[in-house]
Amino acid sequence: MNEIKDFDALREAMALNAEQPEGPARNARAEQLLVEAEKLNIPLAVIEALGHQLKAYNYSSEKDRMFVPFARLLRMWDERPEDFDEYEVHTLHWVFKWMTAGMLDQPHIPLASIEKWLGEMEHRYRLAGHSERAVRGAEFSVAAHVGDLPRAERAYAAWLAADRDSMADCHACELHSQGWWQAERGADAEALDLWRPVLEGEFTCAHEPHTVLASSLGPLLRLGRLDEARAHHLRGFRLVRPMESMRGAYGDHVEFCALTGNEARGLELLAERPAYFTDSGQPRSQMDFMAAVALLMDRLTGLGMGAQSVPGPAGRAWTARELAVHAREEALSLSARFDARNGTSYVGEDVRARMAQVPLVDRLPLGVRASGIPAPRRAPVESVYTPDTAGQQADAPGDLSALLAEARRMSNGLLPHAMEAWAAVSRAAEGAELSVADQAEIVDHKAMEGGPEGITLFERAAELYAEAGDPGEALAARARAAYARALEGDIDAALDAVSEPYEEVLALYSDEGTGVRQAAAVLMGRARILMRQVEETGTDRSLAAAENAVRELLALVDGHAGDDVRLASRGAEAQAMLGELATRAGDLEGAAELFTWATDAFVAAGLPWFAVEYEARLAGLAHHLGDIAGAERALRGALEHGGAYLEAAGHAQLNLQLAEILGARDEVGEAADHALEAAHWADEAGEGPTLGAWARHLLGGFLLRQGRWAEAAEVLESALPDLGAETHGDGAVVQTLWWLADCLGELGEHRESAERRLKAAEIARHWPEQQDHATLAHLAAESLGQAGLPAEADQAYERAGDLWRSLGNVHGLVRALRARAWLALRTEAGLAGARRRMSDAVRECAEALSEAEDLESREQLGAELAHTHRQFGDLLARSATEDAEDGAIEAAFEEALAQMRKAIAVFSSLGEEGLHGRTGAELAAGWLEADLSRPGEAAARARGVLRAYGGSAGESDAETVRARRAEAEQMLQLMEEQEAEAE
């Protein structure tokens, strides 16, 4: 550490330290700076250093240390108030409020001391002539904390009634406290109304909207405003994540995860801030944080994950069950200390209520991944089969009979989960006396579960059906056995096995020895086998054989379905088979029509869940045929018809496809909703790194297009670890980095934006087409310049300029040179370097203009040249520093004016397209002439601008016209006054 030699150096060091991240390192530096200040023997230096130290403590986890420097400041004020300048007097009174709040946070400080301090604050504020507003606000905080509700209400009313003055908290902080109180009293909607100006950015400060976003999560969930709650979590957590002093708000986000089915996300939050478990400088925020931890751990334990390894206090490993006990004990121990100090039970009751909360929604998808931490296991999606007796051993014949009746009802209706019903029958039937027919059904359905025993079980079922006197079902079971062989890959054996049942069932049906349902089952088995043969061989012969088999099945069931959903299902599946065959034959339009018939038939039969597979196929065909509306209809139908029975992967794929269609049509709001669903279901399906990453990539882009920068940044950052060139293509990686950089730039995080753009540029560097590489290098340079890194920005612009030159893109090259010229004023290159680069930009543009052959290119290059002259003039004018000699300033202005004249001439040559550029340059030239004491020439330029806008302007440029006229009128008035004075 360099020794501080004077007061200016001390102030510079304190300003630099204030920009550092919150935490012990910044606090330690503040302590060192106080030591250095004391060496200067300047009272004000010590006062300012104490104030800097106090602020560092307040915005950190060591809030308990701020009382000592404040006591010293107060003693210095009482002894020698003349040592304080106006700003430090204001600061001294301002931090009285911090002391009151800080004492409340420390249970070892007696309540009587706090009340005494409140009186001292009121006395000193009155002497200083300040309003009671801050005092009554502090009184409200004390009363609300101890649970003295009548006093809190009185103080709240007095606080709002008192005049706002320089001691009042900022609007954002006041609105946060007011909204918090409304939420505490159960008025969630009123709280959100109070917070709206902060949430919308009208009022902000160092800790707002950070805490308002966190405090709003519970009210939004309770009101069912889930989309807003999700957005506030993503946006708010991004703000509190880097700030050590915001443990309370951080705990609100942990609590939100516990209440919305995002336990894995909650664990990730805990892993990011291990010190929050043990930092003891602010016991109240530690208590609140541990209550949120206990809530999360209880939730995990309740989901059967009590043995799950979780992040916890350093020094040992923790399971969810162990951490739940520890966190609860810590939260209750701290609350007991507060209650003992306060003489009430209010804090403890509040902590217990917080830990006893139940989830407000089962699962609220957030769109972000929980890296490396498994999601809790949840119950499967809704099932239509949930009888109380399922899976239990039947105690009496009547129980088994009921299970059989239920299983038959479900299988006859082709209802989802019918196989679960038959599994329950099978378990209940062990050791029971059954008829041969019942045994046949049980074995038949056990065979349908698949597996290596399927063929043998189907054949056993066939024997039992035959023994029971049902030859038709026996043949159907044999056909199912044959199809099972096909599924194992032995098509020839399957065809041999099905040939005899096929011939026999047709003969039996013609003799009325069996029904159409059994005959259709055999014909369907044969058709399915032939379709498998088509998949394997694809020959014309196999196609023809399969088509004949399918059409034979259709002829059999035609007109026989009636209310028989099984026969209706056979007919619908046969239509879908014809659709598959048409696809293979290249008749895509015919295939789409057949799939449409099939899906309509399934829905009409009351079997919408069977339509989903074919609606997905139809969507793909429609998209291929350019029928985007048809693809959208099919996808929406599939999602609607799949409902609770669709597998997680199916939900992910269908939502993802629909999101892409809607996004291409610029319906980004709904597209984002479906991308969010896709990300959620991909994670549920265990496909987070593949489908999930792509869904997050899309979701981030959709959020960015809506201007939701913070949400988009969170989602895109969570997508990046899983996006890879091999799985998703390096184009997706570059695009995600590009979008993320745009978001970070909008959020003011320019250094981080530059890092992402440079990383994307490095990937694009290896592409054959270098346009993206050049663009990204240029954008990275912009970010570096905005981040206050001129030397690095200059290097990036130089790289971009070389790329633009290699691409023959004069516009990009000229803009890079102009940017480097402006940067030169902030680097060692100085004014000479700036002149050289701007001159290079003029030359490059002029040469390209002289060689341009078509009118459009000449107009575009002309506009670029005019803007370059204009910027050259601005640069020269701004380079004239106030402390330069008069002759040097005059020379710079003359040179700048010459560039403005050139800009005006080129803009004028562009006609109407160059009007606004010309008038802007005319006004800039007019101000230069005013500075050169030529009011007549300046006035003439102003009149010229007013004449140029004599007609009406279109709506698109009305604002520009108004601004130009206003500036011209101002200039004209000033110049006419100067001319009058001169006369």
Side-chain angles (χ1 to χ4, degrees), residues 196-208:
R196 184 176 295 111
V198 182
L199 295 170
E200 293 178 354
E202 182 179 349
F203 301 122
T204 62
C205 70
H207 277 183
E208 296 297 352

PDB file of all heavy atoms in Angstrom, residues 196-208:
ATOM      1  N   ARG A 196     -44.590  -0.366  -6.967  1.00  0.00           N
ATOM      2  CA  ARG A 196     -44.533  -0.266  -8.427  1.00  0.00           C
ATOM      3  C   ARG A 196     -43.516   0.770  -8.922  1.00  0.00           C
ATOM      4  O   ARG A 196     -42.742   0.475  -9.845  1.00  0.00           O
ATOM      5  CB  ARG A 196     -45.925   0.038  -8.992  1.00  0.00           C
ATOM      6  CG  ARG A 196     -45.939   0.053 -10.533  1.00  0.00           C
ATOM      7  CD  ARG A 196     -47.330   0.248 -11.116  1.00  0.00           C
ATOM      8  NE  ARG A 196     -48.196  -0.875 -10.803  1.00  0.00           N
ATOM      9  CZ  ARG A 196     -49.240  -0.822  -9.983  1.00  0.00           C
ATOM     10  NH1 ARG A 196     -49.534   0.323  -9.378  1.00  0.00           N
ATOM     11  NH2 ARG A 196     -49.986  -1.878  -9.755  1.00  0.00           N
ATOM     12  N   PRO A 197     -43.445   1.991  -8.352  1.00  0.00           N
ATOM     13  CA  PRO A 197     -42.461   2.957  -8.872  1.00  0.00           C
ATOM     14  C   PRO A 197     -41.016   2.474  -8.738  1.00  0.00           C
ATOM     15  O   PRO A 197     -40.168   2.831  -9.553  1.00  0.00           O
ATOM     16  CB  PRO A 197     -42.708   4.204  -8.007  1.00  0.00           C
ATOM     17  CG  PRO A 197     -44.104   4.044  -7.504  1.00  0.00           C
ATOM     18  CD  PRO A 197     -44.290   2.571  -7.301  1.00  0.00           C
ATOM     19  N   VAL A 198     -40.743   1.686  -7.713  1.00  0.00           N
ATOM     20  CA  VAL A 198     -39.387   1.152  -7.542  1.00  0.00           C
ATOM     21  C   VAL A 198     -39.149   0.034  -8.549  1.00  0.00           C
ATOM     22  O   VAL A 198     -38.096  -0.032  -9.198  1.00  0.00           O
ATOM     23  CB  VAL A 198     -39.187   0.633  -6.101  1.00  0.00           C
ATOM     24  CG1 VAL A 198     -37.761   0.127  -5.912  1.00  0.00           C
ATOM     25  CG2 VAL A 198     -39.501   1.729  -5.097  1.00  0.00           C
ATOM     26  N   LEU A 199     -40.124  -0.846  -8.702  1.00  0.00           N
ATOM     27  CA  LEU A 199     -39.986  -1.961  -9.632  1.00  0.00           C
ATOM     28  C   LEU A 199     -39.845  -1.480 -11.071  1.00  0.00           C
ATOM     29  O   LEU A 199     -39.173  -2.120 -11.890  1.00  0.00           O
ATOM     30  CB  LEU A 199     -41.192  -2.895  -9.506  1.00  0.00           C
ATOM     31  CG  LEU A 199     -41.331  -3.603  -8.161  1.00  0.00           C
ATOM     32  CD1 LEU A 199     -42.673  -4.307  -8.057  1.00  0.00           C
ATOM     33  CD2 LEU A 199     -40.198  -4.607  -7.964  1.00  0.00           C
ATOM     34  N   GLU A 200     -40.478  -0.357 -11.389  1.00  0.00           N
ATOM     35  CA  GLU A 200     -40.429   0.160 -12.746  1.00  0.00           C
ATOM     36  C   GLU A 200     -39.256   1.098 -12.972  1.00  0.00           C
ATOM     37  O   GLU A 200     -39.104   1.653 -14.069  1.00  0.00           O
ATOM     38  CB  GLU A 200     -41.746   0.877 -13.066  1.00  0.00           C
ATOM     39  CG  GLU A 200     -42.943  -0.090 -13.128  1.00  0.00           C
ATOM     40  CD  GLU A 200     -44.260   0.615 -13.393  1.00  0.00           C
ATOM     41  OE1 GLU A 200     -44.261   1.865 -13.411  1.00  0.00           O
ATOM     42  OE2 GLU A 200     -45.266  -0.082 -13.600  1.00  0.00           O
ATOM     43  N   GLY A 201     -38.411   1.286 -11.954  1.00  0.00           N
ATOM     44  CA  GLY A 201     -37.193   2.067 -12.128  1.00  0.00           C
ATOM     45  C   GLY A 201     -37.346   3.561 -11.931  1.00  0.00           C
ATOM     46  O   GLY A 201     -36.395   4.318 -12.147  1.00  0.00           O
ATOM     47  N   GLU A 202     -38.514   4.006 -11.474  1.00  0.00           N
ATOM     48  CA  GLU A 202     -38.693   5.442 -11.237  1.00  0.00           C
ATOM     49  C   GLU A 202     -37.829   5.912 -10.072  1.00  0.00           C
ATOM     50  O   GLU A 202     -37.264   7.015 -10.100  1.00  0.00           O
ATOM     51  CB  GLU A 202     -40.170   5.740 -10.970  1.00  0.00           C
ATOM     52  CG  GLU A 202     -40.470   7.215 -10.768  1.00  0.00           C
ATOM     53  CD  GLU A 202     -41.942   7.486 -10.519  1.00  0.00           C
ATOM     54  OE1 GLU A 202     -42.777   6.561 -10.708  1.00  0.00           O
ATOM     55  OE2 GLU A 202     -42.273   8.624 -10.120  1.00  0.00           O
ATOM     56  N   PHE A 203     -37.735   5.086  -9.024  1.00  0.00           N
ATOM     57  CA  PHE A 203     -36.901   5.403  -7.857  1.00  0.00           C
ATOM     58  C   PHE A 203     -35.926   4.250  -7.634  1.00  0.00           C
ATOM     59  O   PHE A 203     -36.336   3.083  -7.574  1.00  0.00           O
ATOM     60  CB  PHE A 203     -37.754   5.603  -6.603  1.00  0.00           C
ATOM     61  CG  PHE A 203     -38.781   6.697  -6.721  1.00  0.00           C
ATOM     62  CD1 PHE A 203     -40.123   6.421  -6.540  1.00  0.00           C
ATOM     63  CD2 PHE A 203     -38.402   7.994  -7.020  1.00  0.00           C
ATOM     64  CE1 PHE A 203     -41.080   7.410  -6.645  1.00  0.00           C
ATOM     65  CE2 PHE A 203     -39.355   9.004  -7.127  1.00  0.00           C
ATOM     66  CZ  PHE A 203     -40.686   8.714  -6.950  1.00  0.00           C
ATOM     67  N   THR A 204     -34.649   4.549  -7.503  1.00  0.00           N
ATOM     68  CA  THR A 204     -33.625   3.532  -7.265  1.00  0.00           C
ATOM     69  C   THR A 204     -32.587   4.063  -6.289  1.00  0.00           C
ATOM     70  O   THR A 204     -32.523   5.272  -6.028  1.00  0.00           O
ATOM     71  CB  THR A 204     -32.904   3.124  -8.567  1.00  0.00           C
ATOM     72  OG1 THR A 204     -32.240   4.289  -9.104  1.00  0.00           O
ATOM     73  CG2 THR A 204     -33.879   2.581  -9.600  1.00  0.00           C
ATOM     74  N   CYS A 205     -31.798   3.161  -5.721  1.00  0.00           N
ATOM     75  CA  CYS A 205     -30.658   3.548  -4.885  1.00  0.00           C
ATOM     76  C   CYS A 205     -29.711   2.359  -4.812  1.00  0.00           C
ATOM     77  O   CYS A 205     -29.865   1.390  -5.559  1.00  0.00           O
ATOM     78  CB  CYS A 205     -31.122   3.988  -3.498  1.00  0.00           C
ATOM     79  SG  CYS A 205     -31.765   2.644  -2.472  1.00  0.00           S
ATOM     80  N   ALA A 206     -28.766   2.400  -3.892  1.00  0.00           N
ATOM     81  CA  ALA A 206     -27.761   1.336  -3.813  1.00  0.00           C
ATOM     82  C   ALA A 206     -28.371  -0.027  -3.520  1.00  0.00           C
ATOM     83  O   ALA A 206     -27.843  -1.057  -3.944  1.00  0.00           O
ATOM     84  CB  ALA A 206     -26.722   1.685  -2.746  1.00  0.00           C
ATOM     85  N   HIS A 207     -29.491  -0.055  -2.778  1.00  0.00           N
ATOM     86  CA  HIS A 207     -30.116  -1.328  -2.410  1.00  0.00           C
ATOM     87  C   HIS A 207     -31.505  -1.503  -2.995  1.00  0.00           C
ATOM     88  O   HIS A 207     -32.222  -2.432  -2.610  1.00  0.00           O
ATOM     89  CB  HIS A 207     -30.181  -1.448  -0.882  1.00  0.00           C
ATOM     90  CG  HIS A 207     -28.900  -1.937  -0.284  1.00  0.00           C
ATOM     91  ND1 HIS A 207     -28.759  -2.172   1.064  1.00  0.00           N
ATOM     92  CD2 HIS A 207     -27.705  -2.240  -0.839  1.00  0.00           C
ATOM     93  CE1 HIS A 207     -27.525  -2.602   1.311  1.00  0.00           C
ATOM     94  NE2 HIS A 207     -26.869  -2.638   0.172  1.00  0.00           N
ATOM     95  N   GLU A 208     -31.892  -0.632  -3.885  1.00  0.00           N
ATOM     96  CA  GLU A 208     -33.196  -0.763  -4.533  1.00  0.00           C
ATOM     97  C   GLU A 208     -33.028  -0.640  -6.042  1.00  0.00           C
ATOM     98  O   GLU A 208     -32.248   0.200  -6.504  1.00  0.00           O
ATOM     99  CB  GLU A 208     -34.169   0.310  -4.021  1.00  0.00           C
ATOM    100  CG  GLU A 208     -34.517   0.220  -2.544  1.00  0.00           C
ATOM    101  CD  GLU A 208     -35.235  -1.062  -2.165  1.00  0.00           C
ATOM    102  OE1 GLU A 208     -35.615  -1.830  -3.073  1.00  0.00           O
ATOM    103  OE2 GLU A 208     -35.399  -1.297  -0.963  1.00  0.00           O
TER     104      GLU A 208
END
